[in-house]
Amino acid sequence: MITGLLKYEEKTCVFKLQNFTLENEEIENRDKIFIDDIESLFNTDSKISNTPNLLKGNDFDNGKEIHFNVADIIKTGAKTHSASLYSYIIFEQEETSYDGIQIHAEELNWFHNIKQSYSFMYSPDTGQSELKMEPFENTGKQFEFHIEGQTIQGNLNISRTYSHVSTMPIKLQTELNLYFKPTNEFELVERLANVTYSFLKFITYRKNINFKHLILKKKNEEGKYRKVGRLYIKELKSHDTEEKKILQERLIDFPLLEEHLGQLFEKLAEKDIYITHIPENSFDKNLITPARIIMITAGFEWQFRFTYKELSKVSEEKYKNQKQEILTFLEEKIEENTGKKKKYFKSYRNLLLRSNMTLSDKINWALNEFSNELNLFIRQLYNWNGVTEIKYSDISERIETQRNNIAHGNIDEEFDSYVIIDLIVLEWLYYAMVLSDVGISRANVRLAINKLFNRRFAL
């Protein structure tokens, strides 16, 4: 918990900050009750209509200035308020602008592998050891992308921290630095943190990413960056971590993305890559539920529309009647539902209106397009499950049939067990399309899928 003082509605308040909830209590005229206070006690609508976007305070311990990015605020008593926060910044001392954000996450240590920063020799007989650290220039990597009309300069490097009072005298970690025009607002740094979060989800195919630190930086007169504060974002709270082996091995690493890292960040920033279907953790990706089937197929169709826009008219007449039947069904669901369900059916209707190919057509076409990259994995997967004759058309039709049964509410229809295997193939196909669309070579597409999905081929 952090405590301190802040000004709210021109009144001095004591604040308590815990888990992105900010409790404020007025300390001026604390023992007196005014007419406004009495009215508030009988007001059933306790939510404040004119919610301030920003509150500023100072903590008691070190006098550090803190900026609170407010989502909403309610009156909980005559002189108390409770605010829910999107995020907050704790400055080193006073408020300042910043032009960089440094991000630490365990996944980054293995994306830009810390092992490349050192080499060592060890004699088991004598215990003599020699450790050699590479200079920063040998391990630093740069890239850039555009967001909100400006160029973001990215930098990956491996920092070294030395300690004489620890059993680990040298600590290595990969830092991702993103530099931009000076600002003192939350919007850009929050968006950059969220884009990085999306990036790490994509390269690991799971959502339980741990952000250790979000450090705000500012360039000084000598051209060097110094730390000026720490950013905390509610949506990026720590999650349960994965096993070390999964953290270190099951991801698409930097050498496979190096030439096109900026393009990937930019597409994620513009939301041109569908990542909603990514599972919560490495365990959940093995669970196949109706919701997962819908999300995985939606992710594939989204990417197919971006990658193969010219194919949208291939089957216009052939599937005109079938398409109209599904559109009629979706229109009925839109009328029947509200909220998130209504939004889902609307988005699916809009997706269908943009394309005249069936889901089966798209999957079959894309599987043939990436046959050289995926066939090795596909053949092994089906052979393990007793299938020797593999047809892309069968895979495509099974997925479409299952998806349509779920979309139409026919959950009592018999579930084809091979659909579970088919969906694994569809996940590979999604990654093949995204990586290819970003510009990754077909050879590296194969290597990326082999590594991310632990296919264990010596490629």
Side-chain angles (χ1 to χ4, degrees):
M1 180 186 293
I2 300 174
T3 59
L5 296 176
L6 61 75
K7 281 280 189 179
Y8 177 61
E9 293 185 335
E10 299 182 354
K11 297 175 182 176
T12 303
C13 301
V14 172
F15 73 79
K16 297 177 182 178
L17 173 64
Q18 188 170 23
N19 295 328
F20 294 90
T21 297
L22 183 70
E23 302 287 348
N24 300 330
E25 182 180 355
E26 296 174 19
I27 58 175
E28 297 177 1
N29 300 309
R30 184 181 303 192
D31 299 325
K32 296 181 180 180
I33 301 294
F34 297 95
I35 187 65
D36 290 343
D37 300 323
I38 296 174
E39 288 180 358
S40 71
L41 294 175
F42 295 96
N43 185 359
T44 56
D45 184 10
S46 59
K47 188 170 182 179
I48 308 299
S49 57
N50 56 339
T51 301
N53 294 324
L54 178 68
L55 292 175
K56 299 180 180 181
N58 294 87
D59 76 333
F60 285 136
D61 289 340
N62 302 294
K64 292 184 177 181
E65 186 158 340
I66 307 176
H67 287 194
F68 306 101
N69 187 11
V70 179
D72 60 63
I73 188 167
I74 60 173
K75 192 157 189 173
T76 54
K79 295 182 179 295
T80 58
H81 297 81
S82 177
S84 175
L85 305 179
Y86 290 119
S87 55
Y88 59 92
I89 296 171
I90 301 179
F91 289 97
E92 288 298 288
Q93 288 299 329
E94 297 179 350
E95 172 191 355
T96 182
S97 62
Y98 34 86
D99 50 13
I101 181 170
Q102 184 177 95
I103 298 172
H104 297 168
E106 185 64 26
E107 288 77 8
L108 285 171
N109 293 334
W110 310 106
F111 170 68
H112 185 49
N113 203 311
I114 58 172
K115 293 180 181 179
Q116 65 186 295
S117 65
Y118 66 88
S119 59
F120 66 88
M121 294 184 296
Y122 170 64
S123 173
D125 295 330
T126 65
Q128 184 175 0
S129 305
E130 183 177 334
L131 177 68
K132 179 183 178 182
M133 301 298 300
E134 293 291 329
F136 288 120
E137 63 184 24
N138 289 357
T139 58
K141 300 292 181 180
Q142 287 74 41
F143 64 100
E144 67 178 40
F145 61 99
H146 298 89
I147 189 171
E148 296 183 2
Q150 67 169 295
T151 301
I152 307 299
Q153 300 293 335
N155 168 268
L156 285 160
N157 63 60
I158 301 170
S159 67
R160 303 96 197 264
T161 304
Y162 299 92
S163 173
H164 294 290
V165 292
S166 171
T167 56
M168 296 179 64
I170 302 176
K171 180 181 178 181
L172 305 174
Q173 66 178 348
T174 298
E175 299 172 341
L176 171 61
N177 297 286
L178 301 173
Y179 302 117
F180 42 85
K181 295 177 182 177
T183 183
N184 59 0
E185 297 182 356
F186 281 89
E187 185 178 359
L188 179 59
V189 287
E190 282 190 5
R191 190 171 176 193
L192 289 173
N194 277 290
V195 170
T196 304
Y197 182 43
S198 296
F199 166 74
L200 292 175
K201 286 191 289 187
F202 177 78
I203 65 167
T204 61
Y205 197 49
R206 54 183 176 80
K207 294 178 181 176
N208 57 334
I209 304 300
N210 270 305
F211 275 48
K212 293 181 179 178
H213 303 295
L214 297 171
I215 299 171
L216 299 179
K217 303 172 75 176
K218 183 177 183 178
K219 186 187 288 187
N220 61 22
E221 295 178 355
E222 289 76 35
K224 295 183 179 181
Y225 286 90
R226 63 180 180 87
K227 172 184 171 182
V228 295
R230 287 181 184 256
L231 171 66
Y232 300 84
I233 302 176
K234 185 176 184 178
E235 294 181 353
L236 303 184
K237 291 189 296 183
S238 295
H239 299 264
D240 293 334
T241 58
E242 296 282 351
E243 296 178 7
K244 284 187 177 181
K245 187 173 183 179
I246 291 173
L247 281 168
Q248 296 178 15
E249 298 179 6
R250 297 190 191 176
L251 80 169
I252 305 172
D253 55 10
F254 179 77
L256 298 174
L257 300 175
E258 181 170 2
E259 299 300 322
H260 304 280
L261 187 57
Q263 290 96 311
L264 181 55
F265 263 83
E266 194 160 315
K267 282 184 174 290
L268 287 166
E270 297 301 323
K271 301 188 184 301
D272 287 343
I273 298 175
Y274 183 94
I275 59 172
T276 306
H277 69 297
I278 291 177
E280 187 64 35
N281 51 52
S282 61
F283 176 78
D284 283 358
K285 72 180 181 182
N286 298 316
L287 301 177
I288 300 299
T289 64
R292 282 272 292 147
I293 292 173
I294 291 293
M295 299 304 286
I296 291 170
T297 54
F300 167 80
E301 290 197 275
W302 177 285
Q303 189 56 40
F304 190 93
R305 177 165 56 88
F306 270 97
T307 305
Y308 303 114
K309 296 176 183 178
E310 298 302 319
L311 294 175
S312 61
K313 298 181 180 180
V314 169
S315 303
E316 183 173 358
E317 293 301 323
K318 186 177 179 182
Y319 298 105
K320 186 175 181 180
N321 292 335
Q322 291 90 329
K323 177 181 176 181
Q324 188 56 49
E325 288 178 7
I326 297 176
L327 283 172
T328 301
F329 165 79
L330 291 172
E331 291 292 352
E332 292 173 356
K333 288 296 182 182
I334 290 169
E335 290 297 322
E336 293 172 3
N337 290 279
T338 59
K340 289 185 178 180
K341 286 187 176 180
K342 186 183 187 78
K343 185 177 180 181
Y344 163 74
F345 286 116
K346 275 188 173 182
S347 65
Y348 214 81
R349 177 197 61 186
N350 294 338
L351 186 63
L352 185 61
L353 286 171
R354 295 190 192 104
S355 174
N356 294 292
M357 294 179 72
T358 67
L359 175 60
S360 177
D361 289 333
K362 297 170 187 174
I363 296 172
N364 191 46
W365 196 95
L367 282 172
N368 281 285
E369 173 71 11
F370 289 97
S371 177
N372 290 337
E373 290 69 43
L374 298 180
N375 198 52
L376 183 68
F377 307 136
I378 292 173
R379 191 161 298 281
Q380 181 200 59
L381 180 64
Y382 285 92
N383 287 346
W384 280 351
N385 289 276
V387 180
T388 55
E389 186 177 353
I390 303 162
K391 294 182 179 179
Y392 292 162
S393 58
D394 291 344
I395 296 172
S396 308
E397 289 170 7
R398 284 194 298 264
I399 293 174
E400 181 179 57
T401 298
Q402 191 62 51
R403 190 281 308 268
N404 289 347
N405 283 339
I406 295 170
H408 287 78
N410 300 327
I411 57 176
D412 294 331
E413 293 288 334
E414 185 177 353
F415 187 88
D416 191 328
S417 59
Y418 286 118
V419 171
I420 296 174
I421 309 172
D422 300 334
L423 288 168
I424 294 173
V425 172
L426 194 61
E427 290 173 316
W428 300 342
L429 187 56
Y430 159 83
Y431 270 90
M433 289 194 303
V434 174
L435 294 172
S436 181
D437 193 46
V438 168
I440 307 300
S441 71
R442 292 299 183 95
N444 280 348
V445 166
R446 181 191 283 189
L447 291 170
I449 292 171
N450 189 50
K451 194 170 192 296
L452 178 61
F453 291 97
N454 195 33
R455 302 323 302 163
R456 302 179 185 178
F457 280 95
L459 300 178

